[in-house]
Amino acid sequence: MTYKSLPLVAFKPDLRSAKGAQIQRGFIVRLLRVITLVILDAVSLVLAWRLAIYFGTPIQSPWTQEVSFLLLNVTVGLTIFITSGLYKAGTNRRNYTRVIKAISLSSILLLLIGFLYAPEVYVSRSIFLLSWLLSVIFTCASRFIFDTSTKLLRNQGAVRHAIFLITDLEEQQEQVNLIEKENCYIVQGVADSSCLDLANREQTLQYLRELGVVEAFVSWSSIKDRLYICWHFYTAGITIRILPNKRELYHPKSQVWMLGDLPCLTIPAPIVAGTDFWLKRIFDLVCSTILLIAFSPLYISIALLIKLDSPGPIFFKQDRVGLHSKKFKIWKFRTMVTNAEKLQAALEAKNEIKDGVLFKLKDDPRITKVGKFLRRYSLDELPQLFNVVLGEMSLVGPRPLPLRDVERFKTMHFIRQEVLPGITGLWQVSGRSDIDNFEEGVRLDITYIENWSVWLDLKILFKTVGVVFNKTGAY
């Protein structure tokens, strides 16, 4: 079989990995803003409580005399503020209705705590009501002063976020005007969609990093390879804000964010770029090493069964197409006769995959007796833990396919080759071999890439255990 050339690129890491650990652009400024707001809120709550005690009905009570009750008051208040989203960026910190609701909820919780856990301790009603009223006044006033000061500084050109706009030429001026109306950005530059082409992409991201760009505004219509672009900005530590067109589309990692009256889709950058992916790689390495040691008696038992069942080697090694279309040898326990690959040509007419990209045959005559048992419980896949240790595979990811299958790919299918292949994946826990349409399988792989997180990997691993024991779709 001749091997057609695949779209190979120079070696680079998994699409989801960063080139190095980088703190999210603008994180320090955002952190300082949050710390300032927390301090202002805490001072407001303390001042309100002290003045309420001073002007309220005097009463001898630990609520008014002990510092621990004051700390409880502040802690409950700040916790409610955090859970109410009052420290998030944008209009959240200026949502005074939500501030009043948070303070009211905090006061109610303090009453419940006092009633349930210290019923013998009293606080006068006038102190309680004054504390609530003064907390509302002081907190709203301090936040108003903070916002007014921020606006004055921004009018002087300070405390602004450095951004870069990427959009089509005919939309550039309109979108620049829209961004400048927000009065919190400095437009460091504008470029058309060609800067995101494959040939220019890395140079563009490097240029944005050198400019110190915090956020990139990109019109949705100017992004050709959406999934690639979103991951590239994400791993560069640059927040991407997508300006929608009339045919607004949704990306799984995006959040709705308002630019004036226009809703935009935002894909926020992580605080430290690349940490989640390297956590995945460390998890892969540690778990695969532990499993190899734990399963060593099982490996020996399977090896003996294979030798007794049919002549040939214990392991089956096959060329598979992995990360960035690079070939590697995948390890499996042999489940077929030794000349299985030569016999496949004669069986192509019986292929049960509708579009013919993959080759699947339920009652494949090439499978040995022991091989059927191994496949039923996916035990033939166990040697791929060696591939994980070597860094060629991950525990979870799109399955690496043989050359014969990849040769039949369409251009859109190659996105699955931009991430590390896995022993199991979303495709495998959503039907395994029962999925008889390659496009459906690719859709599941792309869904996995778009929504990937360490938590998703863990859920797939747990589901895999159930699928294996239930023998779902295995043959």
Side-chain angles (χ1 to χ4, degrees), residues 300-333:
I300 295 170
S301 301
I302 292 173
L304 291 172
L305 288 173
I306 292 172
K307 274 298 184 183
L308 292 172
D309 180 56
S310 63
I314 295 169
F315 294 106
F316 170 71
K317 290 183 288 184
Q318 185 185 45
D319 281 336
R320 292 290 177 100
V321 182
L323 184 63
H324 306 308
S325 299
K326 290 174 68 70
K327 289 189 292 182
F328 72 100
K329 294 284 186 184
I330 194 172
W331 286 65
K332 300 178 77 171
F333 281 121

Side-chain angles (χ1 to χ4, degrees), residues 124-186:
S124 71
R125 283 170 292 183
S126 61
I127 291 177
F128 172 76
L129 291 173
L130 272 174
S131 173
W132 173 81
L133 179 62
L134 293 174
S135 294
V136 169
I137 294 171
F138 292 159
T139 304
C140 290
S142 64
R143 283 176 173 252
F144 177 78
I145 293 169
F146 177 82
D147 289 328
T148 303
S149 302
T150 302
K151 286 178 182 178
L152 289 173
L153 288 171
R154 283 175 173 168
N155 287 337
Q156 302 300 317
V159 200
R160 290 175 177 248
H161 303 298
I163 69 106
F164 195 89
L165 175 64
I166 300 172
T167 186
D168 294 328
L169 288 172
E170 60 271 16
E171 297 178 329
Q172 284 181 0
Q173 192 55 52
E174 178 185 351
Q175 290 177 351
V176 166
N177 293 338
L178 183 65
I179 291 168
E180 288 180 342
K181 281 182 182 178
E182 285 297 289
N183 197 34
C184 61
Y185 298 109
I186 298 176

